[in-house]
Amino acid sequence: SAVISQKPSRDICQRGTSLTIQCQVDSQVTMMFWYRQQPGQSLTLIATANQGSEATYESGFVIDKFPISRPNLTFSTLTVSNMSPEDSSIYLCSVSGDSQETQYFGPGTRLLVL
Amino acid sequence: SQQGEEDPQALSIQEGENATMNCSYKTSINNLQWYRQNSGRGLVHLILIRSNEREKHSGRLRVTLDTSKKSSSLLITASRAADTASYFCATDGGRKIIFGKGTRLHILP
C-alpha cells in the first residue's frame, strides 16, 4: 500500500483568498484523485490528476476554481481559489492501488473559510 | 446515479456486540468496497467484494453482496472501542468509485 501525506493538515482562511494543498506519495502511482468532503457528508470526487496533462474534472467542478498540478508520478497539488465559506470542507487526495480497484487516502486537509 | 446509500445513518452498540451496516445502490457494479474513516481523517480501505462474489471475510469483518437486490451488508463482530468510526460503502461501476453517505458507528464502553 502507498503512504500518502498532505500539507497543510488544516488551515483557516479568509474569504477571497486561495489555498494550495500538497499531496505527496511514497511511490510512483498512475492515478491520483482529489476529493471534497463537506461537513458530515460523503466524499465527492473533484478531479483526477493526470501526469503530464490537464486534470479531468467531474461535473460541477471547474479548473478556474480548483486548478490542479501533477508534475510527476509522486506529487500533486490542488488549489482552492477565491474561497468562500461554502468551500469549508475536508480535502482528500487518494491514489489507486496496484490493482487499480482500491484507493489509498491521505490524512486530509481540513479547511475553514471565514 | 450508482451512489451507495448506507443504512442506518448512525448506530450505537455496546462493546462486544455485533454491528451490521447496510448499503444499497442503483446501477450495475464491478465491485463494492467498504472504507472506514476515523474522526474526519483519511479513509482506510477495509474490504472489496466483486460482483460475482456473495460473501467475503476479513478478520472480524464479514461482507455480503446481493446483486439481485443491489445491496451489501458489513458485519463487524465482537465490536471494540477502536471500531468507533464512520463506515462508507463505495461502488465501482468502471469509470470511478462513488461513495455513499456513510454510517456513523459508536461503540459504547
Side-chain angles (χ1 to χ4, degrees):
Chain A
S1 65
V3 177
I4 304 164
S5 60
Q6 282 185 236
K7 286 197 289 189
S9 59
R10 59 177 62 225
D11 208 342
I12 301 173
C13 300
Q14 295 298 317
R15 181 195 299 260
T17 62
S18 297
L19 176 72
T20 295
I21 302 167
Q22 299 179 8
C23 178
Q24 180 75 53
V25 190
D26 68 342
S27 58
Q28 293 187 340
V29 294
T30 305
M31 307 289 283
M32 291 183 78
F33 307 92
W34 286 99
Y35 288 85
R36 181 176 72 184
Q37 185 179 26
Q38 293 176 307
Q41 300 298 311
S42 184
L43 282 72
T44 301
L45 181 63
I46 297 171
T48 302
N50 304 307
Q51 196 266 330
S53 64
E54 237 178 51
T56 304
Y57 289 84
E58 297 297 312
S59 175
F61 297 96
V62 294
I63 188 171
D64 290 346
K65 175 68 176 176
F66 297 102
I68 287 170
S69 79
R70 177 89 193 270
N72 56 52
L73 292 175
T74 63
F75 186 78
S76 178
T77 67
L78 169 75
T79 299
V80 187
S81 303
N82 188 25
M83 289 183 285
S84 67
E86 291 71 35
D87 293 319
S88 298
S89 291
I90 299 173
Y91 290 86
L92 298 132
C93 74
S94 74
V95 304
S96 285
D98 291 339
S99 69
Q100 303 290 316
E101 290 178 312
T102 59
Q103 292 191 16
Y104 300 99
F105 283 83
T109 295
R110 190 182 293 269
L111 171 63
L112 176 63
V113 184
L114 303 176
Chain B
S1 127
Q2 68 182 60
Q3 183 182 35
E5 192 131 339
E6 289 88 342
D7 164 54
Q9 290 187 328
L11 178 63
S12 293
I13 61 171
Q14 295 293 137
E15 191 168 12
E17 293 181 340
N18 296 342
T20 300
M21 290 158 270
N22 302 296
C23 171
S24 59
Y25 57 93
K26 295 179 180 175
T27 62
S28 298
I29 59 172
N30 295 331
N31 64 65
L32 185 144
Q33 304 170 41
W34 287 90
Y35 289 79
R36 183 186 71 223
Q37 183 180 37
N38 291 87
S39 301
R41 302 288 289 170
L43 276 70
V44 174
H45 180 260
L46 295 176
I47 196 165
L48 178 152
I49 186 165
R50 301 185 193 288
S51 60
N52 61 353
E53 296 175 311
R54 292 297 167 259
E55 186 171 314
K56 206 161 183 180
H57 297 254
S58 177
R60 292 185 297 114
L61 305 180
R62 173 177 167 254
V63 170
T64 63
L65 179 65
D66 187 336
T67 52
S68 66
K69 295 181 179 177
K70 292 186 169 57
S71 67
S72 173
S73 68
L74 171 67
L75 169 68
I76 303 174
T77 60
S79 62
R80 305 168 182 169
D83 295 329
T84 294
S86 291
Y87 292 82
F88 295 89
C89 70
T91 51
D92 183 354
R95 191 179 84 78
K96 63 179 182 179
I97 294 175
I98 298 180
F99 289 83
K101 295 180 180 178
T103 292
R104 294 187 308 280
L105 175 63
H106 185 55
I107 307 301
L108 304 168

